[in-house]
Amino acid sequence: YGLPFVSKNNLLVSTINGTGAGIETIYVLIFIFYAPQTEKARILGLFACVLTVFSAVALISLFALHGNGRKLFCGLAATIFSIIMYASPLSIMRLVIKTKSVEFMPFFLSLFVFLCGTSWFVYGLLGRDAFVAIPNGFGCGLGFMQLILYSIYRNNKRSGEAKKPTANGTVEMGAEKPHQEKPTNAKLPHLEHV
C-alpha cells in the first residue's frame, strides 16, 4: 500500500512496514528452525498461506488494477491484515482474564502496541488516510485494553502457585505441595536395653 506505484507520498508507510516485514520474516524463520517437528509443520503451512495471499494481492494489484482501483484494493488488504495483526493478542487477553495473571502478556509488548497504534492512528488522521487510521485506531484501542488488564492483574500470581520461603529468607515461587506429616519419635520402634 505504501509503495509509490500504489499510493503517492507514503514513504514512511513503506519504509516502516518493509522493515517490519523483514524483521518478522527473520523471527518466523528462527521459530521454524528451533520449533518441535509438529509446530514446524504447522507454522510452515501458515507461512506458505501468508506468502500465497501476499503474492496474490501483489500480482492482482500490479497486473489487474490501475489508479484508484489499485489503491483501494491494496488499502483494503492492508487494513484487513493490520486488524488481524492487532487482534492476534486477543487470545492472550482472554488467558489473562481467565487466569487473572499477566505472566504470558509482557508489559513492554502491550505498551509498544499501544504507542505504535496511537502514533500511526494520529498520522492517518492528520494525513486523512483511512487505510492507515482505521487499523491503527483499532490497534490503539486493543493496546489500551492490554494496559488496563496489565494494571488490574500485574500483582496476581498464577493460580496453584504459592510463595515458599527458602533457607536464606528469600521467597521462591512454585507449585504448592500437599502437607506431609513428619515422623515423630512416638512412631519409632522401642529399642530394648542391652
Side-chain angles (χ1 to χ4, degrees):
Y1 172 72
L3 294 173
F5 60 85
V6 176
S7 61
K8 298 192 185 329
N9 303 321
N10 262 337
L11 182 64
L12 289 175
V13 173
S14 58
T15 303
I16 194 65
N17 285 293
T19 304
I23 291 169
E24 290 296 325
T25 301
I26 291 167
Y27 176 76
V28 169
L29 292 174
I30 289 170
F31 182 88
I32 289 170
F33 184 75
Y34 289 106
Q37 201 62 33
T38 55
E39 279 294 304
K40 198 176 287 197
R42 190 174 73 83
I43 297 302
L44 275 171
L46 283 171
F47 194 50
C49 287
V50 167
L51 289 177
T52 302
V53 170
F54 175 76
S55 299
V57 169
L59 291 172
I60 290 168
S61 66
L62 281 173
F63 299 114
L65 301 169
H66 304 285
N68 281 340
R70 179 184 287 168
K71 183 177 180 179
L72 180 66
F73 179 73
C74 289
L76 285 172
T79 299
I80 290 166
F81 295 136
S82 294
I83 288 173
I84 290 170
M85 176 197 68
Y86 279 125
S88 62
L90 286 174
S91 62
I92 297 299
M93 291 169 67
R94 190 174 125 247
L95 184 64
V96 168
I97 293 167
K98 186 177 177 182
T99 62
K100 298 183 181 353
S101 168
V102 292
E103 181 181 3
F104 301 108
M105 189 175 74
F107 172 74
F108 285 112
L109 182 61
S110 301
L111 176 65
F112 285 107
V113 163
F114 172 70
L115 293 175
C116 180
T118 303
S119 303
W120 282 104
F121 176 61
V122 171
Y123 178 83
L125 288 178
L126 293 174
R128 294 190 173 131
D129 191 337
F131 296 125
V132 174
I134 290 171
N136 287 292
F138 188 75
C140 170
L142 279 175
F144 186 66
M145 286 171 52
Q146 288 178 39
L147 291 175
I148 289 172
L149 282 177
Y150 197 89
S151 69
I152 292 170
Y153 297 119
R154 72 182 181 277
N155 293 325
N156 291 1
K157 306 298 179 213
R158 275 191 77 195
S159 57
E161 290 188 347
K163 294 179 182 179
K164 294 188 287 185
T166 60
N168 64 2
T170 61
V171 175
E172 182 177 306
M173 295 300 295
E176 193 173 339
K177 294 180 182 173
H179 179 69
Q180 294 178 342
E181 279 189 37
K182 293 182 181 177
T184 61
N185 289 340
K187 292 183 181 177
L188 295 175
H190 273 290
L191 295 174
E192 292 186 26
H193 296 293
V194 179

